[in-house]
């Protein structure tokens, strides 16, 4: 039971992190007046995948997050700051 509880708490923490990450990316995008479609195009991903990232539904690779950062003209630090 302990291992299952530990595993489940890890899933919860990851879910919270992904939701926070997605919210941060969405806020950064909106603050720059960029549409999902335009950011997705610049970051070389589909708009649907970007929407899933922003909703915390997927766990993007660091490479994808870096592409988003580059497309927003910010550092990875700026994306992860305050998460």
């Amino acid at each position: 039971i302990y291992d299952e509880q530990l595993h489940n708490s890890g899933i919860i923490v990851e879910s919270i992190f992904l939701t926070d990450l997605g919210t941060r990316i969405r806020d950064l995008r909106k603050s720059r007046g960029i549409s999902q479609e335009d950011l997705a195009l610049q970051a070389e991903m589909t708009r649907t995948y970007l929407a899933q990232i922003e909703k915390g539904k997927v766990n993007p690779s660091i490479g994808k997050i870096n592409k988003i950062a580059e497309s927003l003209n910010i550092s990875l630090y700026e994306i992860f700051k305050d998460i």
Side-chain angles (χ1 to χ4, degrees):
I1 290 180
Y2 177 76
D3 286 343
E4 184 177 330
Q5 289 173 337
L6 186 60
H7 175 74
N8 289 341
S9 69
I11 291 171
I12 292 167
V13 169
E14 181 178 347
S15 177
I16 292 168
F17 172 76
L18 292 175
T19 300
D20 289 349
L21 175 63
T23 299
R24 176 80 174 142
I25 290 169
R26 185 189 68 234
D27 291 348
L28 288 165
R29 174 181 61 76
K30 285 186 171 186
S31 73
R32 286 158 176 74
I34 301 171
S35 70
Q36 273 188 344
E37 188 71 37
D38 287 342
L39 180 57
L41 187 62
Q42 290 175 6
E44 301 175 357
M45 62 184 69
T46 65
R47 187 207 56 79
T48 304
Y49 187 67
L50 178 59
Q52 289 178 319
I53 292 171
E54 289 186 354
K55 291 177 185 174
K57 302 291 185 191
V58 293
N59 187 355
S61 69
I62 194 68
K64 292 286 186 189
I65 299 168
N66 190 53
K67 281 281 201 185
I68 292 169
E70 288 174 353
S71 298
L72 293 170
N73 294 315
I74 59 173
S75 66
L76 276 174
Y77 171 79
E78 283 298 314
I79 287 190
F80 289 107
K81 186 174 89 171
D82 301 327
I83 293 181

